[in-house]
Amino acid sequence: MPHQPAEQRVHNFDEVALGYSMDMAVQEAQRCLQCKKPQCVKGCPVEVPIPRFIAALAERNVEKAYKIIKSTNSLPAICGRVCPQESQCEGGCVLGAKGEPVAIGRLERFVADEFFHRDACDLISDRPQCPLIDPAKKVACIGSGPSSLTVAGYLASRGCKVTVYEALHELGGVLVYGIPEFRLPKNKIVAKEVNALQELEVEFVRNAVGGKTFGIRDLFAQGCKAVFIGVGAGLPRFMNVPGENLNGVFSANEYLTRVNLGRAYDFPHFDTPIIRGRNVTVYGGGNVAMDAARTARRLGAESVRIVYRRTVDAMPARREEVEHAIEEGVIMECLAAPLEFLPGQDGNLGTVRLQRMELGEPDASGRRSPRPVPDDVYERDTDLAVIAVGTRSNPVLLENEPGLALNKWGYIEVDEHTGETSMPNVFAGGDIVTGAATVILAMGAGRLAAKEMARRLGC
């Protein structure tokens, strides 16, 4: 797929991948072998009929291809951009054994983008016509991230009256506050998915904090027959390193929320304050770390380093994101870990002391744990540090709902076959159940719960 050149894209927040033309998409689709036992489908958490939609695209029938995708996937334009296809659907493609697998994610993105101008009832559901909404079949979703949007789309397309409650002032959850514009455009993609849901009479209530401005019992008192909890896991983790409280040290959650949701990247049209560091260090090796580092480059940093205790090959981030970051000038400072953040003359963050690491002997699983190299400590100048080492469950809703059973990590326990929690007719899915994971896994959990709710409501 064509991309913006690295030297050009580091100066803007436009989408990096430019998309296929029709001819390019058809040519790629024609590579599919149409396997009788497609492993690609087994690798997809929402079980998209991949060979069928690719066959339709190979015949240039975009509408048919879109209908096939939408039969199981509510948000294909989003999934085609942010899902780790290389370890899921494309990981099962037989062509990948000796060469490049079919670019399933890019084809999914192409189909969705081509079809986006169509009727909203086609866009968001797998039903050909908008249903009559039955106000007696009332369902509430807490949170407006990918799991809740999946539930809302599935149930609304079957005639349920769905209300989505969002704590923030914009809709989309992590799709809006966590993923940068250059990976997932907000107005072009996320807003269109939300607008299509509104066409299906899904009601959205902003600035509504579950556990504070309302509770689950309030929703049932208002006539809801079922409630879905999709509030994510947005509480940041820190490293407990001395100096983490210095000005200039951010959690990735705050840094990316300021830039993405607060539109700090679009100054002066949006006057959200953000530190535009000259020498930036990001700690972690996942997609969030890549997002933070690539964002800092676009905000004008002269030097951006990702500090990681292991090697590049061990980074959990998508290979494409790692490659894009390196192309854009991000330095991978591997086998290093922070010991202390130190202030400069102005009292703000000035340097970081780093411990050189090495990999020890493999454990029973074959994984080699990092260990300090004795007496090998060094310093780096840094006026902006971003901690991207994971998240945990936000307790705001959970502390106010003692009836919800939680596991030892503080996440909601659910029935793995239905998504139902310990509270009857209260379901949950996504990161608040699994911990930080992918968009497509959250959508799969939403689809599982929505099916059970639809069965109970008779729709």
Side-chain angles (χ1 to χ4, degrees), residues 24 32 37 90 94 103 109-110 166 205 210 231-232 292 336 359 363 430 439 441 450:
M24 292 173 69
C32 179
K37 295 181 179 180
E90 293 177 13
V94 297
R109 166 190 162 150
F110 171 80
E166 169 55 49
V205 180
V231 294
L359 297 180
D363 58 18
V439 169
L441 288 176

Side-chain angles (χ1 to χ4, degrees), residues 114-179:
E114 281 289 298
F115 200 75
F116 251 157
H117 65 280
R118 307 297 178 89
D119 178 72
C121 299
D122 284 337
L123 177 63
I124 202 65
S125 75
D126 60 346
R127 298 295 180 89
Q129 297 178 339
C130 285
L132 292 175
I133 300 299
D134 185 349
K137 297 177 179 179
K138 192 173 181 180
V139 177
C141 296
I142 306 175
S144 68
S147 62
S148 287
L149 293 181
T150 299
V151 172
Y154 189 95
L155 293 178
S157 68
R158 285 156 177 78
C160 295
K161 175 58 182 173
V162 183
T163 303
V164 178
Y165 296 87
E166 169 55 49
L168 298 174
H169 62 282
E170 285 196 31
L171 304 170
V174 70
L175 303 174
V176 170
Y177 72 76
I179 302 177

Side-chain angles (χ1 to χ4, degrees), residues 27-202:
Q27 183 178 9
E28 183 64 23
Q30 289 174 344
R31 295 181 59 229
C32 179
L33 300 179
Q34 294 296 313
C35 304
K36 292 183 178 180
K37 295 181 179 180
Q39 297 302 306
C40 55
V41 177
K42 290 184 179 180
C44 176
V46 294
E47 298 180 326
V48 170
I50 293 168
R52 288 176 53 209
F53 101 74
I54 291 180
L57 179 58
E59 297 173 353
R60 297 180 179 265
N61 192 335
V62 172
E63 181 173 352
K64 181 179 178 181
Y66 186 83
K67 296 281 188 180
I68 293 169
I69 296 173
K70 291 296 288 190
S71 67
T72 68
N73 185 350
S74 297
L75 308 171
I78 292 171
C79 290
R81 286 169 164 83
V82 303
C83 286
Q85 292 96 2
E86 66 275 9
S87 61
Q88 294 179 340
C89 54
E90 293 177 13
C93 178
V94 297
L95 290 177
K98 295 184 178 180
E100 287 293 321
V102 175
I104 299 168
R106 293 171 176 176
L107 293 179
E108 181 179 49
R109 166 190 162 150
F110 171 80
V111 170
D113 287 357
E114 281 289 298
F115 200 75
F116 251 157
H117 65 280
R118 307 297 178 89
D119 178 72
C121 299
D122 284 337
L123 177 63
I124 202 65
S125 75
D126 60 346
R127 298 295 180 89
Q129 297 178 339
C130 285
L132 292 175
I133 300 299
D134 185 349
K137 297 177 179 179
K138 192 173 181 180
V139 177
C141 296
I142 306 175
S144 68
S147 62
S148 287
L149 293 181
T150 299
V151 172
Y154 189 95
L155 293 178
S157 68
R158 285 156 177 78
C160 295
K161 175 58 182 173
V162 183
T163 303
V164 178
Y165 296 87
E166 169 55 49
L168 298 174
H169 62 282
E170 285 196 31
L171 304 170
V174 70
L175 303 174
V176 170
Y177 72 76
I179 302 177
E181 182 78 7
F182 56 81
R183 280 220 292 141
L184 182 63
K186 311 311 173 203
N187 291 329
K188 176 184 173 183
I189 302 300
V190 180
K192 285 192 174 182
E193 300 279 21
V194 171
N195 290 340
L197 282 168
Q198 290 175 322
E199 291 293 325
L200 286 172
E201 299 185 38
V202 173

Side-chain angles (χ1 to χ4, degrees), residues 228 414-421 426-428 445-453 455-456:
F228 179 80
V414 299
D415 183 315
E416 64 179 10
H417 301 294
T418 64
E420 189 172 22
T421 70
V426 177
F427 299 78
R447 182 175 174 82
L448 176 74
K451 283 183 174 181
E452 179 62 19
M453 284 187 269
R455 186 189 69 79
R456 295 186 188 186

